[in-house]
Amino acid sequence: MADSGELRDACGVFGCVAKGAWPTHLDVTNLICMGLVGLQHRGQESAGIVMCSGKDAYKFSSHRAMGLVNTVFTDSVLSQLKGNLGIGHTRYSTAGVSDVLNCQPFVVETIHGLIALAHNGELVNGQLLKQKILRHGVGLTTGSDSELIIQLLALPPPDGEVDGPDWTARIKQLMSCTWTSYSLVIMHKDVIYAVRDPFGNRPLCLGKLVSHEPIQTHNVLGVDGHRTGSYESCNGHVNSSDSCDGWVVSSESCSFHAIGAEYYREILPGEIVRITQEGIKSMCVVPRPGDQPSALCIFEYVYFARPDTIMEGQQVYCVRSRCGKQLALEAPADADLVSTIPESATPAALGYSTQSGLPYVEVLCKNRYIGRTFIQPSTRLRKLGVAKKFGALSANFLGKRIVLVDDSIVRGNTIARIVKLLKGAGAKEVHVRIASPPLKHPCYMGINIPTKEELIANKMSIDELAKQMDADSLVYLSVDGLVAAVRSGIKSNLQNTGHCTACLTGHYPVDLVW
């Protein structure tokens, strides 16, 4: 659990296309809604769905509102949204204020009909693109850079279009204007395009809606979380397997199981995938400038993604476990037990326990019914802070030395209160171990990491921070250790694979343009 002022991903995107004859027997709207529930951890401010019959380029049905997915999409709302294909979005605000105007998916009318778009990420050159669009005489109605993307898609490509809209050319034109950061689902009439920026900074993957018996996917995971099958090459063919009822695309594969879908493969960095009722087709893969390595956000592994999500052929849980093992090698502690702050750092704590030989013991009980409380009834309740969320399981650690593993420290507020809570409940010592390096730099690609001045790692040394939080010791995982833990499990034939570590090192994959 990241501390107060926690890290937040920008959002999650989801799309679904029914296979076979239309109108479909599938309840596509409910499938998208359930898919968004599976992505709720990626955004909790607003949600939206846009549906299309696939027959009328000028008619969509949609609903967008502030709130959680299950609050926004009641039975009465869902009953009004019908179609054979659709896209959805759940959002946190990074670029653009938290307001219903910025809710996605966005819809605009072009000369060829309506297009809808949902976007995960943040453009590093958003201000320049905004000026470009305004100079074309296009008015903007929101503060979101996602609106800039959809307006750029409305522009015809420089070579023109002979027989209707060439959406692949339009998307490639968009990519030439901005390299990162975006994973997109774009809907026009009877097609959904799944698009990932050339650096692959945000995740995006494909799934099959299973008809009857489970199917053999192209990315089969073994017991250790590694892929045992081969990675499908992008040869531009249409895959129209009869073993599925439709195709889904999602920010994370964790949303597939609850809707009866199976993970198929991830969208490659720079890839444009066309999804229709006939199947999927890889249109092209746009190369990165200068053949630079890809740059998937490494904090997707550390914190944002759900543990059961598959990225780069490995399960996130396994990566976090390896981070904990590496942390135990780099930062052993003379202690009696290992524990964690529930619950995103639990795999790392278990990995630390396995590597160190220290038993894993729960020391905190989380109140799972404490939500995001904006209005506190009194100063007394505000001061209770952590005590409202956690109870100390003092019988498990009374008089003992604890290694407390967490995944990250942002401002240092929550971790300090947890240490105080544990010592007040009888812990003899508390040694804090962080399964990622110190956060020192802001993110400009879709994560709300605070300003450099707000990050505690820039305010004091590790020893000073340990003293402030009353920890007996504090050690972070090294950057090299994190990168090694992530990359040692990647099992694919992808070339020039890399990861964005900008928030840790200050080295951004592209130049930032303001």
Side-chain angles (χ1 to χ4, degrees):
M1 184 197 77
D3 50 81
S4 180
E6 66 185 63
L7 304 176
R8 300 185 308 187
D9 205 334
C11 50
V13 300
F14 195 89
C16 178
V17 179
K19 181 178 175 290
W22 290 349
T24 179
H25 69 280
L26 289 179
D27 189 344
V28 176
T29 309
N30 263 296
L31 288 172
I32 295 172
C33 182
M34 288 302 298
L36 292 178
V37 170
L39 298 176
Q40 188 73 87
H41 59 287
R42 298 185 72 87
Q44 299 173 25
E45 287 183 351
S46 67
I49 292 176
V50 178
M51 298 297 301
C52 182
S53 69
K55 300 182 184 302
D56 189 344
Y58 292 89
K59 188 175 181 180
F60 287 165
S61 59
S62 65
H63 182 74
R64 304 178 301 163
M66 305 299 292
L68 300 177
V69 176
N70 282 333
T71 303
V72 170
F73 293 104
T74 61
D75 289 343
S76 60
V77 169
L78 289 172
S79 67
Q80 302 300 312
L81 300 174
K82 302 294 182 183
N84 298 305
L85 68 164
I87 63 174
H89 187 270
T90 183
R91 179 179 189 263
Y92 267 133
S93 57
T94 51
V97 297
S98 178
D99 185 272
V100 70
L101 284 176
N102 290 309
C103 294
Q104 294 187 40
F106 286 132
V107 177
V108 299
E109 184 173 353
T110 74
I111 195 170
H112 301 291
L114 299 172
I115 58 172
L117 172 137
H119 168 213
N120 174 208
E122 186 175 356
L123 304 182
V124 295
N125 61 339
Q127 287 301 314
L128 284 180
L129 292 176
K130 181 178 180 179
Q131 294 303 314
K132 176 179 179 178
I133 290 170
L134 292 175
R135 283 196 297 270
H136 275 82
V138 177
L140 299 173
T141 59
T142 76
S144 171
D145 57 355
S146 305
E147 186 184 11
L148 304 179
I149 293 175
I150 201 167
Q151 292 293 352
L152 287 170
L153 289 171
L155 298 175
D159 295 334
E161 297 165 311
V162 178
D163 186 19
D166 185 344
W167 291 107
T168 300
R170 291 183 182 216
I171 295 167
K172 290 172 70 175
Q173 177 180 233
L174 163 71
M175 289 183 170
S176 70
C177 293
T178 179
W179 293 110
T180 194
S181 165
Y182 46 90
S183 283
L184 310 172
V185 285
I186 304 161
M187 183 169 66
H188 174 261
K189 197 177 179 181
D190 57 353
V191 179
I192 288 178
Y193 291 90
V195 182
R196 199 167 169 210
D197 75 55
F199 284 90
N201 187 249
R202 295 290 143 213
L204 196 63
C205 60
L206 290 165
K208 279 185 176 182
L209 289 167
V210 181
S211 297
H212 300 292
E213 296 298 321
I215 59 173
Q216 181 78 10
T217 66
H218 286 262
N219 295 284
V220 181
L221 297 183
V223 293
D224 61 352
H226 292 170
R227 184 190 302 124
T228 59
S230 62
Y231 197 94
E232 181 199 29
S233 63
C234 292
N235 54 14
H237 74 284
V238 175
N239 188 313
S240 56
S241 171
D242 292 332
S243 62
C244 73
D245 286 334
W247 293 91
V248 287
V249 56
S250 177
S251 291
E252 292 186 39
S253 63
C254 63
S255 62
F256 292 159
H257 184 71
I259 62 170
E262 290 198 358
Y263 179 70
Y264 184 68
R265 69 169 178 86
E266 67 183 330
I267 307 293
L268 302 180
E271 188 177 14
I272 303 170
V273 175
R274 187 175 187 264
I275 312 171
T276 67
Q277 65 190 113
E278 284 80 29
I280 62 170
K281 182 177 181 181
S282 180
M283 306 303 291
C284 67
V285 177
V286 175
R288 290 177 292 278
D291 195 32
Q292 299 177 63
S294 60
L296 173 65
C297 171
I298 206 161
F299 252 78
E300 291 282 355
Y301 283 112
V302 172
Y303 181 72
F304 300 120
R306 227 170 70 175
D308 53 336
T309 282
I310 301 166
M311 293 192 300
E312 298 180 309
Q314 57 186 341
Q315 201 157 45
V316 170
Y317 183 98
C318 299
V319 175
R320 291 176 183 170
S321 177
R322 291 199 298 270
C323 286
K325 292 177 181 179
Q326 181 65 29
L327 183 60
L329 292 172
E330 293 183 7
D334 189 8
D336 302 305
L337 59 93
V338 178
S339 196
T340 187
I341 305 173
E343 52 201 0
S344 60
T346 300
L350 289 168
Y352 192 104
S353 171
T354 299
Q355 183 66 44
S356 66
L358 297 173
Y360 174 83
V361 179
E362 292 186 349
V363 299
L364 294 168
C365 178
K366 185 176 182 179
N367 182 349
R368 303 183 187 280
Y369 299 96
I370 294 291
R372 300 171 69 215
T373 305
F374 292 98
I375 301 175
Q376 299 285 3
S378 68
T379 301
R380 173 181 172 79
L381 290 180
R382 277 197 299 272
K383 289 182 177 179
L384 288 175
V386 164
K388 293 182 301 181
K389 293 185 178 181
F390 299 102
L393 300 172
S394 54
N396 288 350
F397 60 83
L398 189 64
K400 296 183 178 180
R401 300 164 298 173
I402 301 171
V403 175
L404 187 67
V405 178
D406 204 0
D407 48 35
S408 58
I409 297 179
V410 183
R411 292 188 175 95
N413 298 325
T414 296
I415 189 75
R417 293 175 185 139
I418 291 291
V419 172
K420 181 178 180 181
L421 175 67
L422 293 175
K423 286 197 167 182
K428 182 179 179 181
E429 297 176 3
V430 178
H431 299 271
V432 176
R433 296 293 182 266
I434 306 300
S436 66
L439 282 163
K440 292 187 174 182
H441 306 273
C443 176
Y444 302 100
M445 289 168 283
I447 305 303
N448 80 323
I449 292 179
T451 63
K452 193 171 183 177
E453 291 72 27
E454 292 177 280
L455 294 168
I456 193 69
N458 293 321
K459 289 184 175 181
M460 56 185 69
S461 68
I462 292 177
D463 289 341
E464 290 171 335
L465 180 54
K467 183 177 180 180
Q468 176 179 288
M469 66 173 60
D470 196 26
D472 293 276
S473 67
L474 166 65
V475 185
Y476 291 86
L477 180 63
S478 67
V479 174
D480 288 343
L482 173 60
V483 171
V486 168
R487 295 185 183 174
S488 64
I490 296 175
K491 302 290 182 181
S492 76
N493 59 6
L494 297 180
Q495 302 298 314
N496 209 11
T497 298
H499 296 89
C500 180
T501 60
C503 58
L504 312 174
T505 63
H507 302 307
Y508 297 89
V510 296
D511 293 334
L512 304 174
V513 182
W514 309 114

